[in-house]
Structure formats: structure tokens, C-alpha cells
Amino acid sequence: MDLLLLVAAERERDARSAGVDARVVLAAAAAGGLDAGALDAAEAAGLLRLDGGRIHPGPRPAPAPGTAAPPARRRAAHRLLADAHAGGPRVLPVLFHRASAAAAPATALGDALAEAAARPGGGAGPAERSAAWARSAGLAADAGQRAVRLVEAADQARLAGLPHRARELLARAGREGPEGAVRGAAQLVSGRLALQDGPVADARETLLLAAELLDPADPRRALDARLAAVEASWAAGDAAACVEALDLGPVRPGPDRLLTAYRTGMSAVMRGRPGTGRPPLREVMAAAGSAGVPDGPETLLRAGSAALVVGDLTAAARANSRALAVARARGPYSIVAQALERLAYGELRAGRHARARAHAEDGLRTALGAGQDNLAAHHHAILALVASVEGSPEAVAEHADAAERVAAAHGLAQAATLAQWARARADLARGRLPEAAARLGPLVGSGPRRGHFAVRMLAVPCFVEAAARTGQTEAARSAVAAFARWSAQGTDPQSGAQLARCRALLSGPEEREALFADALARHDEAAGDFERGRTQLLYGAWLRRRRRPGEARGRLRDALVSFERGGAPGWAAQARAELRATGDAGPGGPAGPLTLLTPQQLRIARCVAEGATNREVALRLSVSTRTVDHHLRNVFAALGIRSRLELSRLVDRAEKTTADP
């Protein structure tokens, strides 16, 4: 036996551990008469890395002594580790290693390990609990008990962000022939895995079957299955299926009071009765984080969803931020990407695009690391929408393509709608009005091709702008009528101002000015520089065409400031062009030769000038390294330079010229 075998045996407990405690391994090594200097030798060979008293995998792939070693040596390693953990504050590691060291059937030891794995708290994460449940299953004599423990192990692996391991454990449980509630629990885990990475219509049916099987013996888990089926139906854009899943099953007001309120409120809203649905949803929102109410991330995410449906973006941000903090501190890991997606979407709704991008970039990395392709698609769609504001057609296309690939395969109507909206908004930013109208027309209209029921109304103002300015007034009026009914529900703080702007675009000269003024007054009641800037831009452009250049300049300057403050360079370029048409050059553009660059090239040039590598730029801007390479070559060619140092000097001179004219 060697020291690497001890490290491998200790790591078996937690596939997502932040390294192995070096003190435990060294104590076990000393008890086994091993040379502690082997640790230094292994680090020097690149097989492991010591950092902060913990052992991490090294840059070189280590052999797998835990699997290659004879069973007797592996059991001896686990015995040494069990003794090293004994007397410490946590019982689960001791029981795990004793169970792993058992050479003969040891049902009592397996029972004790299962009991410890089920016990809340104790500092154990889902990955460690999953390993404990799986080990205890191997010590169970009864097939039914083995199936129960393997399903629990699979669920904990799912929560740890280890979907492949979860599916392996479910397959093992299936071979034990689970029945009744155990089969229902297995279906619940399987449905949740499909919800993360699979066709959401299939996930919905699996989850409804799980609820049916669980109802007689485990009504709380049955309700969890139905709520997960609602998530699957929502992602698919099937409003009727959402209502069906919400209304199925008995209502139990007792300990499930908040779940009942959530079901009641969401069902009413989905049925078109928002006035009836708001009070129970506000009850869910108010209870989040209160004393005596569980502050698990699932509860907080429901409160965040309720707030988004009600239109309280501040409360949504607070609940979802809390859910993210709790998930990161206590787990489960699988919730992190979901909380980041809700946060990013809420920031997008509030018009805070830089924050939305930060959350979505973090969420995308997390989702991909946890095998959550469906959530990754939603993050890509949000990043495409942010890029449509920040002036990067290449980033819009890259993220929209990624979102649509998964959306098409897995039936993600919400991600697909957001991606198409992003493409259309990028067209608007570049003045490609017919293309924008063509993309959005099917999404905001009626019929089978329309967009996601909870998203399509958000895209109506973009469609109306494109349609009204290309002579498609009847289609625009029809969309405005539907938007007005939706706006009256009060579910979006921006919609009142957007509605007035849409009506202004479709009105005669006598009414238009008053409607633009009404829109601006409503913008003052809701945050969002970008939407206010769009109204000012359209208002200023109309005033210029009415030969009122003095009044137009004031509106257009306000629009320019809003776009610059909101990080929307493509839209700022439109405002500058309108200002030039009034005889005012306008402030604030890039100086000198930097004016030769596109907005995306300028962003990349500035990042490189700050010392970022191409890979770092790609991560910062959420594009591929190949895209950065392509743009950087074009930047060098446009500016007539050959090195990153020359680029840094040129950008520095230009920025100083802009700051001190």
C-alpha cells in the first residue's frame, strides 16, 4: 500500500470535494508505517498538489490505485482512514470508511451508514451523501432496501451536479426491481435529470408518473414531482400543461401552506386571473426568509418566481440572490446555475444588462460543469439578448446559435423565443427593420408558431417599432392591442411606458407628441436607461423629421447619455447619427483611429490594451477564442499595427484624448 492509495480512498467519499484534508491522510499514513515524504515526492512528480493543508489532483493524471490495488490493500487503506477520522466532529467519514473496509456482509454497519447519510446537517455535501448511500446499499441484504438506498444515492448525485453518476445509480436501482413509492422516487430523480438535460416534454411525463406513484405513500414528494412537471411545461411553453400539473393532486394546506399558496396563485395567473393569483403569490414572497419558514434554495426560488410573475423585480432579485447564496454555502450544487438564471433574467427585465451578463456568464460555466445543458441554453439566450444591447452581432449569433441548438432538440420554447428576440433586437440596433419585423412577427402573433407565452409580450415593443417603421401598421396595431391587455395586468414595470411609445409610433402627428411625453413620464417611474433611451431616440428622430431640430437635439442627447450609461454602443451610434443629421456632431464617441473599429472590435481592443489574453477576453465577453482571434486580426489591419504593445499605446492615447479634449 502507498500514500496515493490513501488519497484515492479518501477522495471516494466526495467527487466534488475541495481537496482532501492532508492531516487525515498523513495521520493514516503514519499509523500504517508509511513514509510521509512520499507526499512531497508525489507533488514533485505532478501527481497531486498541496494547497492550504488540502490535497488536490495535480497537473499530471495520476494512476488509479484505488481501483487497481488488490481488495485487501484497499480495505486496509479504508481501515486506516476510519481510525484517522475517529474522534473527530463528523461520524459519516468514519462509518463510510468502516463500511468500505468490511470484508463480509455487515448489515448493521450499512444501516448505521444509511442513517448517517439521511441525517441533515453534519457538514456533509450531496456528493459525500451519495457515496455513503451507495456504499450502504452494497451492505444491504434485502433487494428492496438496496433499491431505496441506490435511488437516494442517485438523487444526491443529481444534487451534487453529477448527472452521469446519478444515471448509473438509477440503472443499478432498476436492476433491483423497485416497486410502488420506490419506483416513484426513481422516476422523480429521472424526470429531474431529464429536466436538466433532455427533452422537457419527456421530463414532464416522467414527473407526472412519479407523482402518481408517490401519492399514496409520500404526498410531499408527489407534490415536488408535480411542481417539477410545471417547470418542464413552462420551459416547453405549454400553458395548458402548466395548469394541469398545478391542479393535479390533493391540496394539503397544513405544513404545505406556502406550497399550496404557490400552486393556487400560479394556477390563477395561468388561467388569466392575475387579480386572484396575486394575493397567494405575495404570501409566498413575504414568507421567504421569515422566521420559522425553511430557507432552502428551492423555497427561495419559488418566492423569486412568484415575484417575477407579480412584476416585483426588486423582490425577485432579493429572493433569487438569497437562493444563490444558500445554494453556494450549503448546497445543493445543482441549484446554483438555476438561481443564476433567475437572477440574470430578472436583471434583464429590469434593464440592468451588465449585471444580467455577469450572472449569465457565471451561470453558463456552472451549468456546463454540472451537465445541465437545458439551463446552459437559457443562459446562452440571455447572453444573446445582452449582446443585442451591447452592440455585438457576432456574440448575438454565437449565443443564439448555441441556445437554439439545444432548444430545438429538447423543446425549449422559452430559450428559443429569447434567442429569436435577441437576433431581432440586433437587427433593430443596426437599422435592419424589415429583418427584425420578419423575425418577431410569428413570435408575437397568434397561431402555433408564436413565442413562449410568458416571454412573447416582452418582445412586442421591438416588433411594433420595426413594423410601424416599415408600413406594417395593421400587424402592429393588433400586437399593441394584445400588449395593452397584458400591460393592464401590471406584471412588468416597463410596460406602461413601452405601451405609450408603441401607441405614439402608430398615432397621427396631433397625438404623437403627447404620447411620447406620456411614455417619458412613465419611464421616470420605472428604472431602465435603455428603454428610456429608445423612447428618447424615437421621439428625437420624429422631431427632426418634423423640422424641429432644436427640440430634437435635446431628446437625442438624452438618448445618447442613456445608451452610453446603459452600455448600448450600437444604439448610441444611432443617436449620434440622428444628432449629426440635426447639425450637432454629438459627444462621446471613440477618438482618433478607434473610430475605424466596430463596437465589438473596440471592446476587444480595450480588453487587450488592459493586458488580457485572448482566452481571458473570450471569457469576459462570452465569445469563443476563435472569435477574439478573428476580430483582433481585423483590429490590427484596420489600425495598421503589428503588436499588442502598439495597440495598448494607441488605445491609451485615444482614451486620454477623449477624456481631455
Side-chain angles (χ1 to χ4, degrees):
M1 179 180 35
D2 56 28
L3 190 137
L4 283 178
L5 176 56
L6 285 173
V7 173
E10 176 68 358
R11 194 174 288 139
E12 282 180 32
R13 281 192 304 112
D14 191 349
R16 282 204 177 274
S17 69
V20 170
D21 190 335
R23 289 174 301 179
V24 172
V25 172
L26 290 174
L34 300 177
D35 179 12
L39 200 60
D40 296 329
E43 185 175 24
L47 300 175
L48 52 83
R49 175 175 58 85
L50 278 169
D51 184 13
R54 303 193 73 80
I55 303 172
H56 303 268
R60 273 187 59 198
T67 54
R73 288 180 65 211
R74 293 186 63 216
R75 288 194 294 270
H78 283 293
R79 278 195 294 272
L80 289 172
L81 288 167
D83 291 341
H85 278 288
R90 300 177 58 228
V91 68
L92 192 59
V94 179
L95 292 172
F96 176 85
H97 287 299
R98 284 178 180 166
S100 300
T107 54
L109 186 54
D111 293 345
L113 181 57
E115 183 183 347
R119 196 177 303 140
E128 184 176 5
R129 292 182 190 279
S130 175
W133 278 113
R135 188 72 77 208
S136 72
L139 298 177
D142 176 69
Q145 194 175 55
R146 283 195 297 274
V148 168
R149 292 176 181 178
L150 287 168
V151 171
E152 292 289 351
D155 197 30
Q156 291 297 316
R158 176 189 67 83
L159 292 171
L162 301 168
H164 297 299
R165 174 64 174 159
R167 290 188 174 96
E168 290 171 5
L169 290 162
L170 282 178
R172 285 174 56 190
R175 291 195 288 273
E176 300 292 346
E179 297 180 358
V182 181
R183 182 167 163 248
Q187 290 293 310
L188 175 55
V189 179
S190 180
R192 281 175 159 164
L193 287 168
L195 183 55
Q196 294 176 354
D197 178 22
V200 288
D202 296 350
R204 175 183 178 272
E205 295 307 315
T206 302
L207 291 162
L208 290 177
L209 174 60
E212 182 183 328
L213 292 167
L214 286 164
D215 247 333
D218 197 340
R220 178 55 186 266
R221 268 190 174 176
L223 180 55
D224 288 342
R226 290 192 180 91
L227 291 176
V230 173
E231 282 188 53
S233 304
W234 186 285
D238 192 336
C242 285
V243 172
E244 180 187 359
L246 284 164
D247 290 353
L248 282 172
V251 174
R252 296 178 173 87
D256 295 334
R257 175 178 59 85
L258 291 179
L259 284 176
T260 300
Y262 181 78
R263 288 178 66 187
T264 302
M266 289 295 291
S267 178
V269 169
M270 296 295 298
R271 290 176 182 276
R273 300 196 298 267
T276 304
R278 279 197 191 92
L281 290 178
R282 290 195 182 280
E283 181 184 353
V284 174
M285 293 160 53
S290 301
V293 176
D295 69 342
E298 295 91 347
T299 301
L300 291 162
L301 283 178
R302 277 193 291 272
S305 296
L308 283 173
V309 170
V310 166
D312 189 338
L313 300 183
T314 301
R318 185 167 55 247
N320 290 324
S321 292
R322 176 69 178 166
L324 176 62
V326 172
R328 280 178 164 161
R330 302 201 301 258
Y333 182 80
S334 62
I335 295 289
V336 172
Q338 187 177 7
L340 284 163
E341 186 263 340
R342 302 285 175 83
L343 268 172
Y345 182 66
E347 297 291 8
L348 196 68
R349 290 269 301 271
R352 295 186 287 263
H353 300 101
R355 291 191 202 176
R357 173 163 46 80
H359 289 313
E361 287 171 348
D362 191 3
L364 178 59
R365 288 189 292 270
T366 306
L368 291 174
Q372 297 171 317
D373 279 5
N374 290 352
L375 271 174
H378 281 92
H379 283 295
H380 273 300
I382 290 169
L383 287 168
L385 271 166
V386 171
S388 73
V389 171
E390 294 184 340
S392 173
E394 298 84 4
V396 171
E398 188 171 334
H399 287 298
D401 285 347
E404 288 169 346
R405 277 195 299 272
V406 180
H410 293 175
L412 305 177
Q414 185 173 4
T417 301
L418 292 174
Q420 276 299 304
W421 181 19
R423 292 186 192 276
R425 199 156 69 177
D427 287 333
L428 271 179
R430 297 159 69 189
R432 300 171 60 180
L433 302 176
E435 290 86 348
R439 289 187 194 280
L440 290 174
L443 294 185
V444 303
S446 57
R449 293 176 61 210
R450 72 180 186 178
H452 188 276
F453 62 86
V455 176
R456 67 191 188 95
M457 284 294 109
L458 299 175
V460 165
C462 288
F463 172 70
V464 171
E465 180 180 340
R469 294 171 65 190
T470 53
Q472 303 175 51
T473 54
E474 287 306 312
R477 290 185 196 283
S478 176
V480 168
F483 189 72
R485 291 190 294 272
W486 177 77
S487 177
Q489 298 176 7
T491 56
D492 191 275
Q494 300 277 359
S495 65
Q498 291 171 324
L499 177 60
R501 182 176 77 208
C502 289
R503 285 173 169 162
L505 292 171
L506 294 170
S507 67
E510 298 79 11
E511 299 173 308
R512 185 167 297 192
E513 191 155 8
L515 285 166
F516 271 131
D518 180 39
L520 290 173
R522 292 176 183 272
H523 279 304
D524 288 339
E525 299 170 4
D529 284 331
F530 177 65
E531 287 300 324
R532 181 182 178 84
R534 288 179 66 182
T535 299
Q536 293 277 30
L537 175 60
L538 291 167
Y539 190 9
W542 177 74
L543 288 170
R544 181 186 65 78
R545 290 193 299 273
R546 298 285 291 177
R547 293 184 172 85
R548 296 160 63 181
E551 296 169 83
R553 288 186 196 111
R555 299 301 178 191
L556 294 169
R557 287 180 188 132
D558 285 348
L560 181 56
V561 169
S562 292
F563 290 141
E564 288 179 338
R565 189 163 53 203
W571 301 82
Q574 286 192 43
R576 289 192 192 96
E578 287 288 344
L579 272 170
R580 284 194 295 271
T582 69
D584 186 330
L594 296 188
T595 56
L596 299 172
L597 305 182
T598 68
Q600 180 72 336
Q601 288 171 348
L602 184 60
R603 290 180 70 195
I604 289 173
R606 283 173 172 157
C607 290
V608 171
E610 292 169 4
T613 65
N614 287 13
R615 185 171 181 276
E616 289 167 342
V617 175
L619 288 172
R620 191 182 304 180
L621 302 184
S622 293
V623 297
S624 68
T625 307
R626 183 180 299 175
T627 296
V628 175
D629 293 340
H630 169 75
H631 280 306
L632 199 54
R633 284 195 298 272
N634 290 338
V635 167
F636 280 20
L639 300 179
I641 57 176
R642 297 183 178 181
S643 72
R644 301 169 86 93
L645 180 59
E646 285 182 85
L647 177 60
S648 179
R649 289 171 178 166
L650 191 151
V651 170
D652 185 56
R653 284 197 302 271
E655 299 290 346
K656 286 179 179 176
T657 301
T658 302
D660 301 305

